Amino acid sequence: MVPSDKTGWTKVINARGTFTPLGVSRSPAKVREAVAEALRDYVRIEEMQQAASESLARFSGVEAGHIVHCAAAAVTLTVAACMTKGEPQSVARLPDAHGLPCRVLLPAGHNVNYGHAIEQAIRLAGGKPQLIGAAERCDISDLQSAMLQDDICGLLLVSSRLSRGSLDLAAAVDAARRQDVPVIIDGAAQDMRVRELAQTGADLIILSGQKYLCGPTAGLVVGTTAAMAAVRAQEVGIGRGMKASKEAIAGTLAALEVREELSIIDWRAAQSAKLQRFLQEAATLTAVTACAEPDPTGLPFARAVLEFDPPYDAEKLAEQLQASTPPIYVMTHLIRFNKIALEINALRQDELHSILLRLRVLLADKV
Ligand SMILES: *Cc1c(COP(=O)(O)O)cnc(C)c1O
């Protein structure tokens, strides 16, 4: 372990994306300052949440918003909102769900694991997850028949590169609305697509404040005023341990302002140029074929994919990169094809240079 500055933590080069065990994202100065300032004073959390609601409503084009501890907490609390509708006695009783509708429908391919299985986030509220269809295939008709059962409190959909199958979210939301079933969409890393998700008509949409929005850890919930009141009602129930801090709310508001000022067109052009340059340099490495892989969910950027000619082994190289100084973390979802992937959006030129240099050394070694 090499401490690299006064904090003493090992600084890592993170080409794995918005990955929680590596600190998720880098916040801009405006966000860091807002967090530090919030820590200095007493405030009215209620007033901050009201400002957050207005800011989130503008951001997403829906009626209202609310901030909780993180997106995982938001899954639990939106399920609790659907079960209780915010009714105080039911809120106080959770996770004892006796007498409440508690079945949560979840397409099997949406049973993602982002550090724990999303099913567990449902059970934490007292909800009963029920997987619908198969991992690679869940049809609207499968959902429709499942929604005929008793005890349904909601349908949970996940918009993520982790989810499988090709379920059309808008059609799923539409089917649920016809049967009066509330819909939650977990779009934790999809803040850049929030308007598209909101346009499906889902009652509640969940985002992470600390992923591509680059705020402090926070779970952002947006939706109808009534749905938001039911989420907020959990604050004096199971939501107590999942609350947003003043610094998280202040930092999220600053991150939303930074995003509002950002030209996505310019950002996208700059990212694309940076990726092209990286790929061109990577293509000069021995035994490497480099190409770009667009984000599968439709986020406005691509990742670098490096394929190695045998006998070079992608898995071994990924391990060697991680064991380097500084440690370099890459994405390993394509390792079975002898490829590694790198998300380089947030990386500086000096970090990209270190990655290429390290790969050059590793590939020069005898295999
Ligand atoms: C990251 C992620 C979460 C959890 O987000 P946190 O804010 O870290 O709790 C939930 N769902 C999905 C799909 C995610 O990608």
Side-chain angles (χ1 to χ4, degrees), residues 65-225:
H66 186 65
I67 305 186
V68 299
H69 179 68
C70 64
V75 174
T76 300
L77 297 178
T78 51
V79 167
C82 293
M83 286 166 64
T84 61
K85 308 285 178 205
E87 194 277 310
Q89 284 182 352
S90 307
V91 167
R93 211 147 38 78
L94 291 189
D96 174 356
H98 199 76
L100 295 172
C102 62
R103 202 191 291 269
V104 180
L105 306 179
L106 178 67
H110 291 205
N111 186 19
V112 297
N113 187 314
Y114 45 79
H116 71 170
I118 197 166
E119 286 178 276
Q120 189 173 29
I122 296 171
R123 287 202 306 273
L124 259 176
K128 288 207 182 72
Q130 182 182 350
L131 300 188
I132 309 300
E136 298 301 337
R137 179 155 189 176
C138 171
D139 295 327
I140 298 297
S141 58
D142 297 331
L143 290 174
Q144 281 167 328
S145 38
M147 286 188 284
L148 296 172
Q149 301 169 103
D150 286 339
D151 276 359
I152 305 282
C153 80
L155 167 66
L156 175 61
L157 302 170
V158 178
S159 178
S160 164
R161 65 184 176 81
L162 303 173
S163 52
R164 295 161 69 190
S166 54
L167 182 67
D168 178 343
L169 291 193
V173 173
D174 195 51
R177 289 178 74 87
R178 284 172 201 276
Q179 288 175 257
D180 268 337
V181 171
V183 185
I184 303 164
I185 300 182
D186 173 3
Q190 303 293 316
D191 50 274
M192 290 183 179
R193 292 179 56 238
V194 66
R195 285 179 174 262
E196 191 184 324
L197 296 180
Q199 272 160 15
T200 62
D203 299 80
L204 293 143
I205 295 162
I206 296 168
L207 305 171
S208 279
Q210 74 279 19
K211 290 189 172 171
Y212 295 109
L213 203 55
C214 301
T217 296
L220 318 183
V221 188
V222 300
T224 61
T225 306

